[in-house]
Amino acid sequence: MSIYRYCKNLLAIGIAFASVTAQAQTTVLTVKADKPGAAIQPAMWGIFFEDINFAADGGIYAELVKNRSFEFYEPMMGWKEQRDGGATGRVLVLNQSATMPSNPRYAHFVWDASQGSYTLANEGFRGIGIKKDMQYNFSLWAKAPEGDVKLKVELLAANGTPIGGTDVTISGNDWKRHTASFTASATEPKGKLLITFQGKGTLDGDMISLFPNDTWKNRPGGLRADLIQLLADLKPGFVRFPGGCIVEGHELDTRYQWKKTVGNVESRELIVNRWNTEFKHRPAPDYYQSFGVGFFEYFQLAEDIGAEPLPIINCGMACQFNTSEVVPLDQLDPYLQDALDLIEFANGGTDTKWGKLRADMGHPAPFNLKLLGVGNEQWGPQYVERYIVFASAIKAKYPAVKIVTSAGPSPDGPLFEYLNPVLRSLNVDFIDEHYYRSPEWFLKNASRYDTYDRKGPKIFAGEYAAHTEKKVQPENKNNWESALAEAAFMTGLERNADIVQMASYAPLFAHVEGWQWTPDLIWFDNLRSFGTPNYYVQKLFSLNKGTNVLSILAGNETVAGKNGLYASAVVDNNTKEVIIKVVNTSDKEQAVDIQIPGVKKASAAGTITVLKSTNLESVNTLDNPFNIKPAEQAVSLKGKAIKSTLPPASVTLIKVKAL
Ligand code: AHR
């Protein structure tokens, strides 16, 4: 790339990236390895999962059929009937809400295909991703009121070619789950499912479902393995779930109610996804929540990947960006009960009502919930009033559970200025600060926590991402500019790990065709997925979190922006390693001389890992997923020092076995 292009990129972000004049100048950084500071919490770097951008249905939930139970507002959305060659056929949608309120609708088919064919096709979530030689598991709930019925079930490629299928016979007039498996003969990113009704007959059908066999941990009806593997690879300290604004709902009626997301999948009540209508510029009329991924699955996911579960519950407030509905204080009891019951579901003995449900779902052992969020991005006195009610009830019954409180949607401004001191005066456990800001903001705020009250509440940086254009604009990119700024900011979080005890990027996932919000950490289509540069920054910190903070100084100053350099250091008492992270946001190479006077051994092997790009606009894509990825090289301590040259616009991690 030309120098002009490079400079243009740097200039494009204005004051953000310092221009270093003298390349020859060496910055001496001193790491006090013999004076370990605050302990770094094992949960420090975590993930935040919300069902936005098709993250759950159409994303981690491996179900391939959209609107499988005909419960979308338009009951046949995602489905298409076709009659050919003189066949007749029709579908009637029945609503049995009086007897089955959680899954009221089913489809009643009547057809005569003695000649021609009557078919029903499902389009999947922006198509169905199909893999050659993979086993697919089809199921439906059905009854045949007028005698045996035969269905031909097929997967079709985008051009209409059948690429696998099977026959299913339905007999009897009782609702039963029927299953059949088959193997696909070709790979296809945009397939569809076709059901052909044979002969003549009638059928009642519901929960028409198709899963690939290769789910995460091979669990039937489980999660998409490649996406979960990307999460597991981060070795996250916690999983915050299920949101986000989704907890609040556009209005209280569509808030997240965890009790409706557990038990048999066919009894989980589908609701609209609040991101369905949120952005006019990214409408998603087919975005609903089937809750195939519900609270049991979230707890199980956290356990699978070695993370602490951090559920967020609704505190009687709908989204304040939308309806702002609140529940009167004297009517909060059901909401409170949901919170208390959730703790019982996670931790209670199998002799308790909710602990028993957990056991019945296959997990008799507790999930060891220690953290609970009360509300998402709430603000104002109405939040404080509700928080007080929740905190006193939760602490009275479960004093060991730490509560995470909202600090509102922004890290400054009137909403924050009101809430922050009030929460501090209430001595809350954790304050959850959110920042969706420019890269410049992240650079300037790398020292935000250096001056925070050390005795006050702990900080949870629960949602953050550098937005390269404007907050929540479709032009925002997961480019190197944003990832570099986040890395610089994260050195500030790490340096202040005594008070900033948890942090998570947001949002986590986005389907390349189904997204509403950008940027996002991991992108995917129906078959492929990739980590953004921001993902590799998160991974670098998470996999190298250490056990204690070490001081790293240039002279007497923290390394938080001078010459465009940002740095933090930790020690890992388990591996006996000193780990140093240095971010060079300038447009020049910079020489650093890292002195580690406290180390006992004068020379020990280690590694340098570098993430870099000379183009701040560089991104990873489905076709070029590793455009920006870490590269490793050997390093050795020389006389208790490491001399290194930091490339322009780079994140460098230096790890030495040195204790
Ligand atoms: O991460 C996307 C949204 O941003 C979350 O739902 C909400 O908490 C915040 O406004």
Side-chain angles (χ1 to χ4, degrees):
M1 190 192 59
S2 72
I3 288 291
Y4 168 74
R5 175 82 178 122
Y6 181 62
C7 292
K8 186 169 172 285
N9 289 335
L10 292 172
L11 287 172
I13 54 167
I15 58 157
F17 293 86
S19 186
V20 176
T21 42
Q23 183 180 331
Q25 179 190 324
T26 297
T27 305
V28 177
L29 302 176
T30 309
V31 180
K32 300 204 172 142
D34 54 343
K35 291 204 173 65
I40 294 164
Q41 299 306 309
M44 176 78 186
W45 306 109
I47 53 176
F48 161 49
F49 182 91
E50 175 169 22
D51 188 4
I52 181 172
N53 304 318
F54 280 31
D57 289 343
I60 65 166
Y61 189 42
E63 172 65 86
L64 297 170
V65 176
K66 185 167 75 182
N67 192 14
R68 64 185 174 187
S69 60
F70 308 98
E71 301 295 339
F72 284 16
Y73 179 66
E74 289 173 25
M76 294 306 287
M77 190 179 249
W79 296 98
K80 196 168 168 201
E81 293 173 270
Q82 196 160 326
R83 299 157 201 89
D84 287 319
T88 60
R90 63 185 166 84
V91 59
L92 191 66
V93 175
L94 283 97
N95 187 321
Q96 50 178 352
S97 58
T99 51
M100 189 67 159
S102 61
N103 182 1
R105 289 186 187 152
Y106 65 91
H108 176 73
F109 300 95
V110 182
W111 70 95
D112 183 351
S114 320
Q115 291 183 342
S117 68
Y118 173 56
T119 60
L120 181 71
N122 189 276
E123 67 189 21
F125 299 89
R126 310 294 188 267
I128 294 180
I130 303 161
K131 292 180 226 167
K132 185 172 188 291
D133 297 331
M134 178 58 57
Q135 180 182 314
Y136 286 86
N137 303 319
F138 173 83
S139 65
L140 86 162
W141 281 82
K143 59 187 168 84
E146 292 170 14
D148 286 8
V149 160
K150 270 209 170 73
L151 305 177
K152 187 172 176 191
V153 175
E154 282 174 304
L155 281 172
L156 301 187
N159 64 7
T161 312
I163 52 173
T166 186
D167 289 337
V168 180
T169 302
I170 319 289
S171 48
N173 195 16
D174 300 317
W175 282 108
K176 270 194 301 247
R177 186 166 178 263
H178 301 261
T179 60
S181 297
F182 58 92
T183 301
S185 59
T187 292
E188 168 61 60
K190 292 251 178 204
K192 60 180 168 187
L193 174 73
L194 191 76
I195 299 172
T196 306
F197 296 79
Q198 313 276 303
K200 193 175 168 194
T202 62
L203 176 84
D204 291 334
D206 200 1
M207 295 296 287
I208 303 178
S209 166
L210 185 76
F211 276 87
N213 209 38
D214 65 339
T215 54
W216 171 252
K217 291 193 179 283
N218 297 115
R219 292 192 182 114
L223 307 183
R224 196 174 132 174
D226 63 324
L227 297 181
I228 303 303
Q229 190 59 54
L230 280 163
L231 300 185
D233 292 347
L234 286 171
K235 295 198 191 317
F238 64 87
V239 183
R240 176 180 183 241
F241 59 88
C245 297
I246 211 158
V247 169
E248 305 158 20
H250 186 274
E251 59 280 301
L252 283 164
D253 259 3
T254 51
R255 72 189 186 278
Y256 199 100
Q257 299 187 58
W258 75 267
K259 287 176 181 164
K260 296 186 175 185
T261 75
V262 292
N264 298 330
V265 282
E266 52 276 9
S267 314
R268 301 182 190 179
E269 186 181 332
L270 177 141
I271 60 169
V272 72
N273 186 303
R274 54 102 64 241
W275 298 106
N276 178 312
T277 49
E278 187 66 16
F279 298 126
K280 285 202 177 65
H281 58 276
R282 294 290 304 174
D286 57 343
Y287 201 3
Y288 284 77
Q289 301 177 84
S290 72
F291 297 116
V293 184
F295 259 46
F296 179 85
E297 288 76 20
Y298 286 127
F299 279 116
Q300 193 175 46
L301 168 65
E303 182 177 82
D304 285 352
I305 60 179
E308 296 286 343
L310 167 45
I312 311 294
I313 40 132
N314 186 296
C315 63
M317 301 179 74
C319 184
Q320 287 165 282
F321 289 112
N322 302 139
T323 60
S324 300
E325 285 180 328
V326 292
V327 178
L329 288 173
D330 61 357
Q331 292 176 28
L332 271 178
D333 277 0
Y335 290 74
L336 266 179
Q337 198 57 50
D338 275 359
L340 298 174
D341 290 344
L342 176 62
I343 302 173
E344 185 177 294
F345 178 72
N347 295 352
T350 53
D351 54 344
T352 63
K353 176 178 172 188
W354 295 103
K356 179 174 181 315
L357 176 61
R358 183 192 69 238
D360 292 347
M361 291 184 74
H363 201 287
F367 282 120
N368 290 320
L369 176 140
K370 298 178 198 131
L371 298 157
L372 183 65
V374 171
N376 172 46
E377 260 179 8
Q378 323 308 155
W379 63 77
Q382 61 273 48
Y383 174 60
V384 177
E385 289 165 346
R386 282 159 188 78
Y387 160 74
I388 290 170
V389 176
F390 272 77
S392 67
I394 293 166
K395 292 284 185 186
K397 193 158 181 198
Y398 299 105
V401 170
K402 298 267 185 232
I403 297 180
V404 174
T405 61
S406 162
S410 316
D412 46 35
L415 299 177
F416 182 83
E417 300 310 334
Y418 164 75
L419 205 48
N420 190 41
V422 176
L423 293 174
R424 286 176 177 277
S425 71
L426 291 170
N427 202 20
V428 302
D429 296 326
F430 278 93
I431 298 182
D432 178 4
E433 297 188 3
H434 293 181
Y435 352 81
Y436 295 107
R437 291 293 167 102
S438 66
E440 293 89 330
W441 184 93
F442 278 87
L443 297 183
K444 278 193 204 140
N445 279 271
S447 42
R448 175 181 177 93
Y449 295 110
D450 294 355
T451 50
Y452 257 50
D453 176 8
R454 308 330 274 186
K455 297 202 182 79
K458 304 303 178 209
I459 300 300
F460 172 33
E463 294 184 27
Y464 63 90
H467 283 203
T468 51
E469 300 300 322
K470 246 176 132 191
K471 186 176 170 186
V472 205
Q473 289 307 301
E475 295 79 25
N476 285 324
K477 296 276 180 312
N478 283 101
N479 61 18
W480 184 233
E481 176 193 353
S482 64
L484 193 62
E486 287 154 12
F489 179 73
M490 288 166 77
T491 63
L493 301 184
E494 187 167 82
R495 182 171 55 250
N496 290 286
D498 58 327
I499 51 167
V500 185
Q501 297 198 340
M502 292 187 292
S504 45
Y505 184 96
L508 190 54
F509 281 117
H511 189 296
V512 291
E513 290 178 56
W515 60 274
Q516 297 80 48
W517 176 300
T518 178
D520 306 288
L521 200 64
I522 296 167
W523 289 77
F524 60 92
D525 67 8
N526 291 338
L527 290 174
R528 301 173 294 169
S529 48
F530 70 93
T532 56
N534 317 68
Y535 173 88
Y536 288 107
V537 164
Q538 291 292 320
K539 193 169 169 186
L540 200 82
F541 277 77
S542 180
L543 265 50
N544 298 287
K545 65 173 166 278
T547 54
N548 292 80
V549 180
L550 294 178
S551 147
I552 178 166
L553 299 175
N556 289 324
E557 289 175 16
T558 55
V559 190
K562 193 168 169 191
N563 288 342
L565 289 183
Y566 299 79
S568 58
V570 298
V571 60
D572 190 323
N573 286 323
N574 304 316
T575 60
K576 310 290 179 209
E577 287 167 326
V578 172
I579 305 169
I580 300 147
K581 297 160 187 116
V582 196
V583 182
N584 177 12
T585 63
S586 79
D587 55 355
K588 302 278 191 313
E589 277 187 350
Q590 293 207 55
V592 283
D593 177 355
I594 303 175
Q595 306 276 341
I596 319 180
V599 295
K600 294 203 179 95
K601 288 184 191 166
S603 171
T607 51
I608 291 194
T609 309
V610 182
L611 269 168
K612 63 172 181 175
S613 173
T614 47
N615 181 355
L616 294 175
E617 288 172 17
S618 297
V619 293
N620 291 347
T621 63
L622 284 170
D623 293 328
N624 192 5
F626 303 114
N627 184 34
I628 296 182
K629 65 162 193 220
E632 241 179 47
Q633 64 199 62
V635 67
S636 57
L637 262 178
K638 295 217 173 62
K640 300 191 179 183
I642 301 157
K643 289 192 198 307
S644 186
T645 303
L646 309 173
S650 64
V651 181
T652 300
L653 177 120
I654 300 169
K655 194 146 80 164
V656 282
K657 276 226 187 273
L659 292 185

